[in-house]
Amino acid sequence: MSEQQSEHSNPASILLIDDHPLLRKGVKQLIELDSELQVIAEASNAHEGVAAALEHEPDLILLDLNMPEINGIETLKMLREEGVASRVIVFTVSDNEEDVVAALKAGADGYLLKDMEPEELLSNLNQAALGKMVISEKLTALLAQALQSKRTKKGPDISSLTPRERQIIKLIAAGLPNKLIARKLSITEGTVKVHVKHLLKKLHLRSRVEVAVWAVQEGLN
Amino acid sequence: MSEQQSEHSNPASILLIDDHPLLRKGVKQLIELDSELQVIAEASNAHEGVAAALEHEPDLILLDLNMPEINGIETLKMLREEGVASRVIVFTVSDNEEDVVAALKAGADGYLLKDMEPEELLSNLNQAALGKMVISEKLTALLAQALQSKRTKKGPDISSLTPRERQIIKLIAAGLPNKLIARKLSITEGTVKVHVKHLLKKLHLRSRVEVAVWAVQEGLN
DNA sequence: TAAGAGGTACCACTAAAGAGGTATTTTTGG
DNA sequence: CCAAAAATACCTCTTTAGTGGTACCTCTTA
């Protein structure tokens, strides 16, 4: 790791990846108003971006999501696979839940919306350079919904299950084979199979693997 | 569903569940400054709370997390199991990640911190009464981390897997049996079994069910 | 060039899972 | 109190899954 940054140490190096030259220009001008931040490279697509990241190893990468050919999420994955250790801040207009979730799951260290105030962007970038995760506050409710999203979705319904069946689903999702489930519940393996058979019918699933996956996604932990 | 609320319709009915009488008193006084909101019942523990909720069917329930005996999360689950349809807003001092995530997963419709400004609380409650999910903005970064948290955790390591094995894991997690995986990859079922065998060894798992669960939790979608 | 890793394939064998049936007991609801 | 649902048990049978071993081919690297 590098040493602690004091008041006026080296500015944080930044790579911009965005397919709009004008936007890059604007952001660059804004950033260079802050002596703690410095744009050291720009790229207009994923390939250039990865190459520039590998060459300069910047402290921060400001990454647009909406790019032709290879989008921002894919670019982010490429960066990670190439071993780029820079902190990647997604900087986009999209406040779409899927984009936000996908970006964070792909390892983004921040998600800022382009409509934010310039001063706020600068302060957020400074925070990010210090290792803090920065997220536009507009996204709070969105993130909360993503966490609980499992509900209100299509697919099988848990309400049709008996308590015993729910109990068995949890054990299946824990990876236990029927034999161990039987021991844990003090019933025979044959009976466990009966319950499994029934809940497969009810949930319209084809195997215990599907049951396990469904249960995990449903948050039945 | 009830009819659309116009400007000065009936105020939203609120149930307070909190073990501190003084806090309830304070919140109640605050809320009744707003003609759109009305506290119609109070409870000091989970049992009273559930009973009151069933009796009054309030529009909103303000629920404290930190209560003796039965905590707020459990209370929330009890409410949901009893079929209470009210919107439940967790109102607490805890900005702990696990609490927030647990509450939202348990079906909370909001999560507000007790240190917020009184006027802000009122406006948030009004929003909540209109069906909006309300979350204290302080929690944004917390939620973002919860989404990506899968990483940096103990357990088996994906890095030891070959591309082919990762490919097969995804298909297992999709619930496919070996035969279908074989077709999809244009290889024989026997070969699929070989790969499954190898990845079970590498990940120290005992069955494809465990693989599927692990993959889903790891976010390999 | 030799060694190793990865992918492919086949075989035989055991274990586990799932489908179908019948039947008893307990619980629950009308 | 009766009927339905739930839980239990046992049975057979077929399909899937998992283990062990051998083998061949390609590609990369020491």
Side-chain angles (χ1 to χ4, degrees):
Chain A
M1 309 302 150
S2 56
E3 28 273 67
Q4 183 77 20
Q5 286 201 345
S6 60
E7 292 289 319
H8 288 79
S9 60
N10 295 333
S13 56
I14 299 179
L15 163 63
L16 302 181
I17 307 181
D18 195 306
D19 61 318
H20 289 79
L22 284 177
L23 187 133
R24 288 205 308 274
K25 196 174 184 74
V27 172
K28 182 172 179 178
Q29 286 191 339
L30 170 65
I31 285 179
E32 305 211 323
L33 293 176
D34 188 325
S35 62
E36 295 295 318
L37 303 174
Q38 183 177 23
V39 175
I40 57 164
E42 302 179 29
S44 62
N45 62 52
H47 298 301
E48 285 181 24
V50 173
L54 288 172
E55 182 187 348
H56 298 96
E57 292 262 348
D59 296 320
L60 295 181
I61 298 179
L62 265 191
L63 176 62
D64 185 30
L65 276 193
N66 185 31
M67 294 190 293
E69 296 200 48
I70 304 179
N71 68 33
I73 303 290
E74 289 307 314
T75 308
L76 173 50
K77 288 181 184 171
M78 286 168 63
L79 286 167
R80 293 307 185 205
E81 280 176 13
E82 294 293 331
V84 173
S86 312
R87 297 181 64 77
V88 177
I89 314 297
V90 171
F91 184 57
T92 183
V93 294
S94 167
D95 60 353
N96 174 276
E97 173 173 327
E98 292 176 28
D99 285 339
V100 179
V101 173
L104 292 174
K105 283 194 176 177
D109 301 292
Y111 197 107
L112 301 177
L113 296 176
K114 283 183 176 173
D115 64 358
M116 68 193 314
E117 296 301 321
E119 316 82 55
E120 205 179 344
L121 174 58
L122 290 180
S123 83
N124 272 312
L125 291 181
N126 274 297
Q127 292 292 306
L130 296 175
K132 187 166 176 265
M133 163 167 282
V134 290
I135 308 279
S136 284
E137 291 191 338
K138 276 192 179 183
L139 304 174
T140 314
L142 210 67
L143 291 171
Q145 279 180 305
L147 269 178
Q148 67 169 171
S149 63
K150 285 85 187 182
R151 228 164 320 282
T152 69
K153 202 173 53 179
K154 64 177 186 316
D157 187 8
I158 194 175
S159 65
S160 62
L161 299 174
T162 69
R164 196 57 153 185
E165 286 163 351
R166 299 179 202 200
Q167 197 175 12
I168 287 182
I169 284 187
K170 288 183 187 175
L171 296 173
I172 288 178
L176 298 189
N178 290 336
K179 191 174 296 185
L180 290 187
I181 294 176
R183 280 185 203 156
K184 182 151 284 184
L185 300 182
S186 299
I187 58 181
T188 66
E189 182 181 351
T191 303
V192 175
K193 285 186 178 182
V194 174
H195 290 308
V196 173
K197 189 191 336 184
H198 289 160
L199 65 86
L200 284 176
K201 285 274 185 214
K202 288 183 182 175
L203 300 176
H204 304 294
L205 298 177
R206 284 161 224 78
S207 72
R208 62 172 40 232
V209 178
E210 291 188 357
V211 172
V213 170
W214 174 79
V216 172
Q217 288 175 338
E218 211 71 5
L220 273 61
N221 301 331
Chain B
M1 306 302 152
S2 57
E3 30 271 69
Q4 183 78 19
Q5 285 202 345
S6 61
E7 292 291 317
H8 288 80
S9 60
N10 295 332
S13 56
I14 300 180
L15 163 64
L16 302 181
I17 307 180
D18 195 306
D19 61 318
H20 288 79
L22 283 177
L23 188 132
R24 288 205 307 275
K25 196 175 184 73
V27 172
K28 182 173 180 178
Q29 286 192 337
L30 170 65
I31 286 179
E32 305 211 321
L33 293 176
D34 188 326
S35 61
E36 296 294 319
L37 304 173
Q38 185 177 24
V39 175
I40 58 164
E42 303 179 28
S44 63
N45 62 51
H47 298 300
E48 285 181 24
V50 173
L54 288 172
E55 183 187 350
H56 299 97
E57 293 261 350
D59 297 319
L60 295 181
I61 298 178
L62 266 191
L63 177 61
D64 186 30
L65 277 193
N66 185 31
M67 295 190 295
E69 295 200 48
I70 303 179
N71 67 34
I73 303 290
E74 289 307 314
T75 308
L76 174 50
K77 289 180 183 171
M78 287 168 63
L79 286 168
R80 292 308 185 205
E81 279 175 14
E82 294 294 329
V84 172
S86 312
R87 298 182 61 78
V88 177
I89 314 295
V90 171
F91 184 56
T92 181
V93 294
S94 167
D95 61 353
N96 174 276
E97 173 174 327
E98 290 176 29
D99 286 339
V100 179
V101 173
L104 292 174
K105 284 195 174 177
D109 301 291
Y111 196 107
L112 301 177
L113 296 177
K114 284 184 175 172
D115 64 358
M116 69 194 315
E117 296 300 321
E119 315 84 53
E120 204 178 346
L121 174 58
L122 290 179
S123 82
N124 272 311
L125 290 181
N126 275 296
Q127 292 294 306
L130 295 174
K132 187 165 175 267
M133 163 167 283
V134 290
I135 307 280
S136 284
E137 291 192 339
K138 276 191 179 185
L139 305 174
T140 313
L142 212 67
L143 292 171
Q145 280 180 305
L147 269 178
Q148 64 171 174
S149 63
K150 284 87 186 181
R151 232 163 315 284
T152 70
K153 202 174 53 178
K154 65 180 185 311
D157 188 6
I158 192 175
S159 65
S160 62
L161 299 173
T162 69
R164 195 56 152 186
E165 285 162 352
R166 299 180 202 198
Q167 197 174 10
I168 287 183
I169 285 187
K170 288 183 186 176
L171 295 173
I172 289 178
L176 299 187
N178 290 336
K179 190 173 297 185
L180 291 186
I181 295 176
R183 281 185 203 156
K184 183 151 284 185
L185 300 182
S186 300
I187 58 180
T188 67
E189 182 181 351
T191 303
V192 174
K193 286 186 177 180
V194 174
H195 290 308
V196 173
K197 187 187 348 181
H198 290 159
L199 64 85
L200 285 175
K201 286 275 184 213
K202 288 183 181 176
L203 300 176
H204 304 294
L205 298 177
R206 284 162 223 77
S207 72
R208 63 172 39 233
V209 178
E210 291 188 356
V211 172
V213 170
W214 174 79
V216 172
Q217 288 175 338
E218 210 72 6
L220 273 60
N221 301 331

